[in-house]
Amino acid sequence: MGLIAYIKSLFILQLLVGFVFVVSGLIINFIQLCTCVLWPIDRQLYRKINTRLSYSLWSQLVMLLEWWSGTECTIFTDQATVDKFGKEHVIIILNHNYEIDFLCGWTMCERYGVLGASKVLAKYELLKVPLIGWTWYFLEIVFCKRKWEEDRDTVFKGLTQLKDYPEFMWFLLYCEGTRFTPKKHEISMEVAESKGLPKLKYHLLPRTKGFTTTLSCLKGTVSAVYDVTLNFRDKKVPTLLGIVSGKKYMADMNITRYPVEEIPEDEKECATWLHKLYQRKDALQEHYEKEGSFPGPAIKPPRRLWTLLNFLFWATLLLTPLLNFACGVFVSGSPVLIVVFLIFCIIASIAVRRLISVSEVNKTGSTYGKMEGKKEN
């Protein structure tokens, strides 16, 4: 292990990075709360301010991926598609196989200037997660309980409200509904067989309702659907904890652009189109398994300095008084102050670990399969 890699693996440094993210996030959430007074007066101004505030938080995670771990992201697509990145409202369909797939999506959003305005159809449980859920709430993220009878009105209202969003947004959909695991895949393929649908090898059966509803509600706003298939070289299975520890990964993303005019408007035909799309995604994954790469030209969009500068700003603002306080505590020699400070550090480390655990595959708390056979696709 090299010196730099060793330094990155030190728990104290990881704790300081986590401290900056948590405290800056709380400050940003408070400012977002204050901006709520603008909503009835000037909704678009409220949105522009919150887009930039959320960028200041999310870009810290992107910084960990790009600058701290040095993970490289290569995209496989044509130049005509790249030329449209960041210049249109789109729906992103991404496979859900890894703990950091959202982070790889965010790094592409950042490099093309749409990170702050990125959207997602999120599960309702995430609304209760500090920082992440709170920031999403102020960004008008649509939360759903995955029970269509309960979600219908909320989803329609939330999506329709986004039609006049002033910033170009990338709306992420995990059409599989949950992260891929062998057990979930087995259950999903049983459902596929019972419904006479083609089986998939590398994906779960897509749940079409979210896609067809999103496309219908954002009609006239969204101009294309980007199908994104993500994989990692050398069959690595990256984790967020690995990123925090400074481990480097090599991510490859195949991106195909589909103009909305080419997607059927009829709900059943649109659902059939999505199933065929996932068959193509499966074929792409099969190609990657055999060749170690996606077909087509490879493009490496350069990382930008903004994420690093943003983190350095928050680190300077928050760590300077913290380190001064820590020095004062130990210089004082007071056992009470030292114990209190150590307890604070322990609580902070637990809080950071809990945030990381939100993305872990074995702790997602999914109930996938319990009612799967009764759901309509």
Side-chain angles (χ1 to χ4, degrees):
M1 179 184 291
L3 178 60
I4 295 179
Y6 172 73
I7 292 174
K8 289 179 179 180
S9 69
L10 292 175
F11 175 73
I12 185 63
L13 274 185
Q14 297 172 13
L15 183 59
L16 291 175
V17 170
F19 172 82
V20 172
F21 177 75
V22 171
V23 177
S24 65
L26 292 174
I27 293 172
I28 289 170
N29 285 164
F30 176 75
I31 298 173
Q32 288 181 304
L33 179 62
C34 294
T35 65
C36 288
V37 298
L38 292 173
W39 180 263
I41 302 171
D42 192 335
R43 182 180 300 187
Q44 302 298 45
L45 177 60
Y46 165 89
R47 286 168 161 171
K48 290 178 180 179
I49 292 174
N50 276 278
T51 292
R52 282 145 187 82
L53 288 171
S54 66
Y55 175 87
S56 189
L57 184 60
W58 301 149
S59 66
Q60 294 181 50
L61 296 177
V62 174
M63 184 282 300
L64 287 176
L65 184 79
E66 295 181 341
W67 297 93
W68 184 259
S69 81
T71 293
E72 295 183 13
C73 295
T74 303
I75 58 177
F76 293 78
T77 190
D78 57 274
Q79 189 59 46
T81 297
V82 174
D83 291 341
K84 292 183 179 295
F85 286 173
K87 299 175 183 177
E88 59 181 349
H89 297 291
V90 299
I91 293 173
I92 305 288
I93 296 178
L94 178 63
N95 57 309
H96 204 5
N97 297 68
Y98 306 100
E99 287 185 14
I100 67 165
D101 45 31
F102 76 96
L103 202 48
C104 292
W106 273 359
T107 192
M108 287 297 107
C109 288
E110 200 289 320
R111 296 182 191 195
Y112 292 102
V114 294
L115 177 59
S118 60
K119 307 294 180 187
V120 65
L121 196 61
K123 57 184 179 181
Y124 183 78
E125 292 81 0
L126 290 176
L127 177 59
K128 303 173 185 178
V129 178
L131 306 184
I132 298 173
W134 299 347
T135 303
W136 273 351
Y137 174 80
F138 293 114
L139 278 177
E140 304 170 71
I141 294 300
V142 181
F143 294 93
C144 56
K145 299 177 181 178
R146 305 192 218 187
K147 297 178 181 178
W148 184 241
E149 295 75 17
E150 298 180 27
D151 290 332
R152 186 193 307 270
D153 293 340
T154 301
V155 171
F156 272 105
K157 180 180 178 181
L159 291 173
T160 303
Q161 190 169 273
L162 294 174
K163 288 178 69 71
D164 64 342
Y165 208 79
E167 310 275 342
F168 287 123
M169 61 179 176
W170 285 10
F171 198 107
L172 172 63
L173 288 179
Y174 289 118
C175 292
E176 294 164 88
T178 185
R179 190 174 282 123
F180 182 99
T181 66
K183 180 60 176 177
K184 294 174 186 176
H185 180 255
E186 180 183 348
I187 296 170
S188 182
M189 292 307 98
E190 289 175 359
V191 175
E193 185 175 7
S194 69
K195 294 188 175 184
L197 295 169
K199 290 187 177 182
L200 303 172
K201 185 177 180 180
Y202 302 100
H203 301 85
L204 305 180
L205 197 66
R207 294 175 173 176
T208 61
K209 181 65 72 173
F211 174 70
T212 58
T213 301
T214 302
L215 191 61
S216 175
C217 289
L218 295 180
K219 183 179 180 181
T221 299
V222 167
S223 56
V225 171
Y226 293 172
D227 173 39
V228 183
T229 304
L230 170 68
N231 223 320
F232 289 86
R233 295 178 198 173
D234 303 318
K235 297 185 177 180
K236 293 287 182 67
V237 181
T239 64
L240 188 54
L241 191 58
I243 295 295
V244 173
S245 300
K247 293 182 180 179
K248 181 176 181 176
Y249 302 101
M250 305 295 287
D252 290 330
M253 287 183 278
N254 181 277
I255 304 177
T256 305
R257 181 182 183 274
Y258 296 95
V260 293
E261 296 81 10
E262 297 179 3
I263 304 173
E265 293 187 14
D266 178 77
E267 184 176 354
K268 289 185 178 180
E269 292 181 4
C270 187
T272 300
W273 181 90
L274 184 64
H275 281 298
K276 291 181 179 178
L277 177 72
Y278 267 79
Q279 293 169 39
R280 289 193 290 270
K281 288 174 77 70
D282 226 45
L284 275 173
Q285 286 286 38
E286 183 70 23
H287 183 280
Y288 195 95
E289 284 290 315
K290 293 179 178 179
E291 305 295 334
S293 176
F294 288 118
I299 300 173
K300 287 189 177 182
R303 61 186 180 181
R304 306 194 304 173
L305 273 173
W306 295 115
T307 56
L308 182 60
L309 293 175
N310 175 75
F311 177 78
L312 291 176
F313 163 76
W314 283 112
T316 302
L317 181 68
L318 299 174
L319 292 183
T320 301
L322 175 67
L323 296 178
N324 287 336
F325 175 74
C327 290
V329 167
F330 287 100
V331 169
S332 71
S334 170
V336 175
L337 285 178
I338 293 175
V339 170
V340 170
F341 182 74
L342 290 176
I343 291 175
F344 167 79
C345 290
I346 293 173
I347 294 174
S349 65
I350 294 174
V352 171
R353 189 65 186 84
R354 288 292 296 274
L355 280 175
I356 291 175
S357 71
V358 171
S359 73
E360 292 180 347
V361 171
N362 61 346
K363 295 184 180 179
T364 54
S366 173
T367 58
Y368 187 89
K370 293 181 179 180
M371 296 293 290
E372 193 65 17
K374 298 181 182 180
K375 291 181 181 293
E376 290 187 6
N377 280 295

